[in-house]
Amino acid sequence: MSQRILSVALEGDKDVVLVRQRARQISDLLGFAKQDQVRIATAVSEVARAACFGGIKARASFVLQDGHARQQLEVTVTAAGAPAPDTKAAALADAALVTAHRLMDTCVAGSAAGGPAIHMQKALPPQGPISPTRLAQIATELAATPAGSSFEEVQQQNRELVETLAELRERQDDLLSLTRELEDTNRGIVALYAEIEDKAERLRRADEMKSRFLSNTSHELRTPLSSIRALSKLLLDRMDGELTEEQERQVWLIERTATEMSELVNDLLDLAKIEAGRVEPQPAPVVIENLFRALKGMMRPLVDTERVELVFENEGVNEPFESDEGLLSQILRNFISNALKFTEQGSVRVSAIYEFETDTLRFAVTDTGIGIEAEHLQLIFEEFTQVENPLQRKSKGTGLGLPLCRRLAELLGGRVDVSSRPGVGSTFMLTLPRLFPHPAPDNA
Ligand code: ADP
């Protein structure tokens, strides 16, 4: 639905000034902001000037359009005849259209009442619709407000120009301070990055020093520990004569402590070697049957067959797969010896299965032991972590086995996982790719 507001006849330059004033008044009464008022007034007066150029009669009508999401002010400028075939007139009309396009929401060229027409629209500000009563009031106000003289219009335009310039300056100032703020932030970020890099470098160096320290100390400790163990063994074998019962007990204690210490030193050395990048997996075809047979032999001395049975189950992995058998065996030995340590009664099952979807092998060591509380499941993979339990004191350990397993698994391109229920048992899993992930050749 459209409601008429005002119609202005355009017959000369004076009317162009008039229509500009009317456009500003109408947009003001319809609630447009100051800037939009200037935009509408400028678009309408430019189109009006082009329409009545060369003495052609024209008309501008202001209408309120309903039916859209928001009401629209529509201004149609209709010329009574075709424009003079004059290049100046054509250039003026083009420039007016470009201006109107820029300043209004839409601007369409068409025809009305037998002559060419330009329709321009701008949506009203979202302050609620103008009712027919309000529109009638606006019409009365317009009739009561006579248009000012050209001189007044020039003054008004100057005022608008000054206001626009002031606003432009303000925006420029805002932009300048925003740019400065951005520059400061950028400088801050660059400084932070430098700090992070510096810290990362220091961490890298500290890590290197830790690995070097560990491997040096471990080497220094290994030799005396081996001597202690060898000498204790000589004494226990009565090479240097008979021992009293008390002496035997004491030498046995020395031997056991030295053995535990060399286990700790070996684990530390292994970890240090991995961290220093000095462990290089040697992939080769691995046959499960052979691996399991070797493990069975190695672990037999640790199994107390009265209480626990150690079972190996190959679930159909017949094809060889590619991995480093030594490192793989080290991980499984760790899992199995833990399972045996923490299982008083029942079984420890070692299984292997091929998972087609992921092209991986899954090893699982399942025990019927004391289990691990959920809150400790991640902690046990951290260095020197042991969970307090009645079996812990009986069984010795370093708290380095599982962290070592995790690093070794990563070296083999796989991962370790655990699931456990206290009082029921635990399952430690190792997942490995069927084909060893060889690093891409270095082209540099
Ligand atoms: P260590 O066995 O030398 O103490 P690990 O890193 O191998 O060190 O294991 C860390 C801790 O995780 C163990 O001390 C134990 O508390 C817990 N744990 C490991 N395996 C098992 C298992 N199969 N059942 C119960 N607890 C376990």
Side-chain angles (χ1 to χ4, degrees):
M1 200 184 80
S2 59
Q3 302 169 72
R4 233 180 71 94
I5 305 173
L6 185 76
S7 181
V8 179
L10 304 167
E11 294 181 355
D13 290 347
K14 260 192 175 164
D15 295 329
V16 175
V17 174
L18 176 84
V19 85
R20 183 185 176 99
Q21 287 172 332
R22 286 311 200 188
R24 189 187 304 109
Q25 283 171 343
I26 291 169
S27 44
D28 183 20
L29 288 166
L30 289 177
F32 281 100
K34 200 100 193 137
Q35 279 201 349
D36 275 341
Q37 292 174 27
V38 177
R39 284 193 182 102
I40 295 167
T42 308
V44 171
S45 71
E46 284 301 288
V47 173
R49 198 152 64 91
C52 61
F53 180 78
I56 288 175
K57 291 199 168 106
R59 174 164 290 279
S61 32
F62 296 80
V63 169
L64 185 68
Q65 288 282 13
D66 276 311
H68 297 79
R70 276 189 1 221
Q71 287 176 313
Q72 314 257 342
L73 166 66
E74 183 177 281
V75 188
T76 305
V77 177
T78 322
D86 170 335
T87 46
K88 190 163 179 218
L92 207 62
D94 284 349
L97 268 177
V98 170
T99 308
H101 255 300
R102 212 175 278 158
L103 300 176
M104 302 295 278
D105 294 346
T106 60
C107 169
V108 185
S111 62
I118 302 289
H119 305 276
M120 294 168 277
Q121 286 192 324
K122 197 163 191 76
L124 258 61
Q127 88 280 49
I130 304 280
S131 66
T133 330
R134 172 72 192 127
L135 204 66
Q137 264 176 7
I138 289 175
T140 320
E141 276 177 57
L142 277 171
T145 326
S149 67
S150 302
F151 180 65
E152 278 168 344
E153 180 54 26
V154 170
Q155 274 185 329
Q156 174 66 26
Q157 281 198 31
N158 274 348
R159 267 198 300 275
E160 283 167 5
L161 201 68
V162 169
E163 274 168 28
T164 312
L165 280 176
E167 204 168 304
L168 216 66
R169 154 72 42 86
E170 228 170 80
R171 290 222 180 141
Q172 239 169 1
D173 288 348
D174 283 353
L175 218 69
L176 215 68
S177 76
L178 210 69
T179 315
R180 256 184 229 130
E181 238 170 78
L182 256 169
E183 271 174 9
D184 287 350
T185 316
N186 276 354
R187 222 166 284 148
I189 289 174
V190 169
L192 272 176
Y193 263 117
E195 221 171 280
I196 290 173
E197 262 172 35
D198 186 44
K199 292 233 162 92
E201 180 52 35
R202 266 193 250 169
L203 263 175
R204 245 194 314 274
R205 255 185 279 144
D207 221 44
E208 247 177 57
M209 271 165 65
K210 185 188 93 179
S211 300
R212 211 172 314 139
F213 169 77
L214 277 177
S215 91
N216 288 346
T217 332
S218 305
H219 269 305
E220 296 305 320
L221 287 172
R222 265 177 153 192
T223 325
L225 279 171
S226 304
S227 308
I228 296 173
R229 285 173 69 195
L231 287 172
S232 314
K233 207 152 171 1
L234 282 180
L235 288 171
L236 287 173
D237 289 346
R238 309 298 195 267
M239 297 300 228
D240 269 341
E242 211 30 69
L243 296 176
T244 65
E245 207 173 300
E246 182 53 24
Q247 280 171 334
E248 176 170 4
R249 204 182 63 82
Q250 286 174 1
V251 177
W252 181 79
L253 256 178
I254 292 172
E255 201 268 341
R256 215 185 115 178
T257 313
T259 308
E260 277 164 13
M261 274 190 80
S262 48
E263 272 169 25
L264 175 72
V265 167
N266 284 344
D267 282 355
L268 275 175
L269 199 60
D270 281 350
L271 270 173
K273 266 206 249 163
I274 294 179
E275 278 187 13
R278 291 218 306 270
V279 176
E280 278 212 13
Q282 305 292 331
V286 181
V287 177
I288 289 277
E289 287 305 322
N290 298 345
L291 172 73
F292 278 5
R293 221 173 294 139
L295 279 172
K296 213 183 279 181
M298 281 189 258
M299 303 315 284
R300 193 170 296 135
L302 300 182
V303 188
D304 179 354
T305 45
E306 300 275 300
R307 300 184 292 109
V308 183
E309 72 172 329
L310 175 62
V311 187
F312 287 83
E313 287 166 346
N314 174 9
E315 296 181 25
V317 189
N318 300 319
E319 297 288 314
F321 61 98
E322 196 188 13
S323 198
D324 182 317
E325 186 162 343
L327 300 181
L328 162 59
S329 162
Q330 194 176 345
I331 300 172
L332 292 177
R333 280 201 311 271
N334 233 313
F335 284 174
I336 300 169
S337 73
N338 275 348
L340 291 169
K341 270 197 283 186
F342 298 105
T343 305
E344 282 197 298
Q345 202 73 46
S347 63
V348 171
R349 283 176 192 281
V350 186
S351 64
I353 191 167
Y354 172 64
E355 304 218 324
F356 182 76
E357 298 81 45
T358 47
D359 198 20
T360 51
L361 283 115
R362 176 91 77 95
F363 294 89
V365 177
T366 304
D367 63 53
T368 56
I370 54 170
I372 305 161
E373 299 281 349
E375 72 212 64
H376 295 132
L377 281 181
Q378 282 315 309
L379 285 179
I380 54 173
F381 287 99
E382 281 169 26
E383 283 144 37
F384 299 109
T385 304
Q386 293 185 318
V387 182
E388 201 41 58
N389 64 54
L391 293 184
Q392 194 69 261
R393 253 160 269 145
K394 267 201 265 168
S395 68
K396 293 291 164 195
T398 58
L400 288 174
L402 291 176
L404 194 59
C405 288
R406 183 149 74 177
R407 303 256 165 94
L408 288 172
E410 283 163 8
L411 272 182
L412 296 178
R415 59 163 211 278
V416 293
D417 297 287
V418 58
S419 68
S420 185
R421 277 179 62 196
V424 178
S426 316
T427 300
F428 282 82
M429 283 157 288
L430 166 68
T431 311
L432 290 183
R434 186 178 56 83
L435 293 172
F436 184 82
H438 293 271
D442 197 355
N443 293 326

